[in-house]
Amino acid sequence: MSRLSKIAEANPWRQNPWFESVAVAQQRAKKKLPKSVYMALVGGSEAGVTLRDNMDAFSELEPKPHVIGAKQDRDMATTVMGQPISLPVMISPTGVQAVTPDGEVDVARAAAARGTAMGLSSFASKPIEEVIAANPQTFFQVYWLGGKERVLERLERAKAAGAAGVILTTDWSFSMGRDWGSPAIPEKLDAKAMLTMAPEIAVSPRWAMEWARDVITNKRFPDLTTPNLVNQGEMGPTFFGAYGEWMGTPPATWDDIAWVVDNYDGPVMLKGITRIDDAKRAVDAGVTAISVSNHGGNNLDATPASIRCLAPIVDEVGDHVEVLLDGGIRRGSDVAKALALGARAVMIGRAYLWGLGANGQAGVENVLDIMRSGLDSSLIGLSKSSISELSRDDYHIPDDFVRRLGA
C-alpha cells in the first residue's frame, strides 16, 4: 500500500495533507491563513505587472521534447557558492515568516531534509543561530541598512554563527503602493493583536490553534520583531521599524559592495541584478555569485520578468561568477527552463511560503518534492541524464522574449 493510500485509509474524512502542485498549496494556504497573513505572501508593488510577468514569461518558452531516448538515470545535484545541494532549487530569503510558530526554523528543517540550502532574511522572525542549527547550509541575507558599522556587526555575527555565506540584497521595494493595499503586521501576537484580528481568526481555526498551542507550550506571546538586525539576545526593531531604518540609510554604492566582499571571509552573492552593466560591475566588485532578480515583483513595477533578463547576463558574466535566478518559479519545469538559459540554480520564495502556510515544515518539503519531480519530468522528456546537459536548444525561445537591459 502506498504512503498516500495509507493516509487516505487512516483519515477517510480528512483532507489529504499532501498536495501535487504549488497552485494547490496556495489555495490551501489561502483557506487556512487569516486574510492579512495570506495577503502578506502574495502582494507585488503597484499594479503587479512584474509579479504576473515573472510567472507568465515561463509559458512563452516551449520545450522540444523527444518521444524516444529518455535516460534511465538523471542527476540533479549541483553546487552553489561552494555548497553541494541535491537539486538546483534553494530557499530565497523572505522577511518575517511567522506563518507558523517556528517560521524560518520550519523552512530550514525542510530544506535540510531535502538536501538544499536556506537563505535567511535579515528581517526574519527567528535568530540566525537557531536557523543554522536546523540547516548548516544557510546563507544570511544582508541589507545595506544602518551604515558600515551596523552592516559589519551583522557580517561578523553571521560568520560567528557559521553561515555558509551572505546574500547582499539591493533590489527591495522602492515603490510603496499596492493597488490591493498592504496588510497590517502587528509587533507581537499578543491578546491585543488577537482581538484586533478576531474576525479573521474566527474563520481560521486551524491557524489559531497552532499559535495557541505554541503560546501554552512556551508560556509567552511570540514577537514579530527582527532579531538578526541587532546583537544576539537583544530585542530587534519591528518589521516596519527596520524598514524605516533601511529607507533612512543612504543607498549602497559599488564601493560599498566591494567593501562587503573585502570584510566578509566567505562567499558573497549580490541579489537584484537585471542589467548587463550592473552584472559587470558586480564582477568587478568581487562577488562570488549574482541573482538575476526583481525581488519577486516588489521593485519598480513593469520591470521585465527575471527570466527575460537571464540569458544576456549569463552570456556576459557567466564565466566569471555563478548566476542564479529568482522570481516566478512555480514548477519544476520552470526550473528546467532557467537552467537551460544558463542559471546554475534558482531560488524560490512565494512557492515555499504557501507550502509553509498549507502544512508547515511538511508543506515546504512537499513544495521541494514538487520542484524535483517536475524537473525530473523535464529531463525525461528532453532525454537528458543531467541538468548540466540542458541548453537553449531544448526550447523554442520567441524572438521578442529576451530583454537586454544595460547592454
Side-chain angles (χ1 to χ4, degrees):
M1 183 182 294
S2 71
R3 172 176 172 269
L4 295 182
S5 298
K6 290 178 181 178
I7 292 173
E9 184 178 89
N11 303 280
W13 296 283
R14 292 180 61 187
Q15 182 182 59
N16 189 336
W18 181 84
F19 43 84
E20 64 181 14
S21 72
V22 171
V24 174
Q26 181 179 1
Q27 292 168 2
R28 293 191 183 179
K30 183 177 183 180
K31 183 177 181 180
K32 177 182 175 182
L33 301 175
K35 182 179 179 180
S36 59
V37 177
Y38 172 74
M39 290 304 296
L41 308 182
V42 297
S45 62
E46 296 184 339
V49 174
T50 299
L51 174 64
R52 292 189 296 273
D53 194 36
N54 271 349
M55 295 179 289
D56 294 345
F58 283 98
S59 66
E60 298 177 29
L61 300 172
E62 301 169 347
K64 304 174 184 178
H66 292 280
V67 293
I68 300 296
K71 308 300 181 183
Q72 181 175 353
D73 299 313
R74 296 167 299 279
D75 181 16
M76 286 179 267
T78 188
T79 61
V80 173
M81 295 202 294
Q83 294 297 311
I85 53 178
S86 68
L87 77 163
V89 181
M90 287 175 46
I91 297 298
S92 188
T94 61
V96 190
Q97 294 174 15
V99 178
T100 63
D102 282 339
E104 292 86 359
V105 176
D106 272 339
V107 177
R109 291 176 185 140
R114 293 302 182 263
T116 194
M118 167 83 176
L120 178 69
S121 174
S122 289
F123 286 71
S125 61
K126 298 296 182 184
I128 184 173
E129 293 78 13
E130 290 184 20
V131 175
I132 290 178
N135 187 343
Q137 290 186 299
T138 294
F139 296 99
F140 182 58
Q141 178 217 42
V142 177
Y143 283 104
W144 191 258
L145 185 154
K148 284 186 177 180
E149 183 177 346
R150 294 286 306 283
V151 171
L152 184 59
E153 288 176 355
R154 292 192 286 276
L155 293 175
E156 291 175 344
R157 180 177 174 185
K159 190 66 180 178
V166 297
I167 301 172
L168 181 58
T169 297
T170 59
D171 66 337
W172 199 14
S173 179
F174 307 120
S175 177
M176 299 296 185
R178 290 178 173 180
D179 285 6
W180 46 85
S182 297
I185 300 177
E187 297 181 12
K188 180 180 291 189
L189 287 175
D190 56 12
K192 179 181 178 181
M194 291 296 188
L195 182 61
T196 302
M197 296 177 65
E200 298 182 45
I201 293 173
V203 294
S204 309
R206 288 176 57 208
W207 181 87
M209 284 300 298
E210 287 179 6
W211 283 95
R213 282 194 296 267
D214 184 72
V215 170
I216 293 169
T217 300
N218 294 305
K219 296 180 173 57
R220 62 174 175 81
F221 285 106
D223 65 67
L224 299 180
T225 57
T226 51
N228 295 309
L229 291 177
V230 293
N231 293 324
Q232 186 177 1
E234 294 180 357
M235 176 66 74
T238 65
F239 178 85
F240 286 112
Y243 182 83
E245 185 178 358
W246 178 78
M247 291 295 292
T249 302
T253 66
W254 283 109
D255 287 340
D256 293 327
I257 305 302
W259 177 86
V260 170
V261 173
D262 290 340
N263 283 275
Y264 183 75
D265 181 20
V268 176
M269 178 193 298
L270 183 61
K271 182 175 179 291
I273 301 293
T274 56
R275 296 172 56 106
I276 294 169
D277 50 358
D278 282 349
K280 291 180 176 179
R281 293 294 295 271
V283 172
D284 292 340
V287 301
T288 309
I290 60 174
S291 176
V292 178
S293 167
N294 51 44
H295 211 100
N298 277 294
N299 200 314
L300 297 179
D301 199 22
T303 298
S306 301
I307 190 69
R308 298 188 189 278
C309 304
L310 175 63
I313 290 174
V314 170
D315 291 343
E316 291 289 345
V317 304
D319 291 337
H320 304 286
V321 293
E322 298 176 13
V323 181
L324 286 80
L325 179 91
D326 188 324
I329 301 289
R330 300 292 185 270
R331 302 166 186 84
S333 58
D334 296 338
V335 179
K337 292 171 183 179
L339 300 183
L341 268 60
R344 175 180 288 261
V346 304
M347 296 197 290
I348 58 171
R350 289 180 179 88
Y352 78 81
L353 289 173
W354 290 328
L356 182 67
N359 197 27
Q361 176 184 336
V364 180
E365 294 175 11
N366 195 154
V367 167
L368 290 170
D369 289 343
I370 289 168
M371 295 295 168
R372 185 188 297 275
S373 176
L375 175 57
D376 191 51
S377 294
S378 290
L379 293 177
I380 293 172
L382 296 169
S383 295
K384 306 297 181 183
S385 60
S386 171
I387 57 174
S388 63
E389 297 176 2
L390 290 167
S391 75
R392 297 172 200 178
D393 291 338
D394 295 314
Y395 294 88
H396 170 70
I397 304 172
D399 292 338
D400 62 348
F401 179 82
V402 169
R403 302 291 186 270
R404 292 181 56 84
L405 307 185

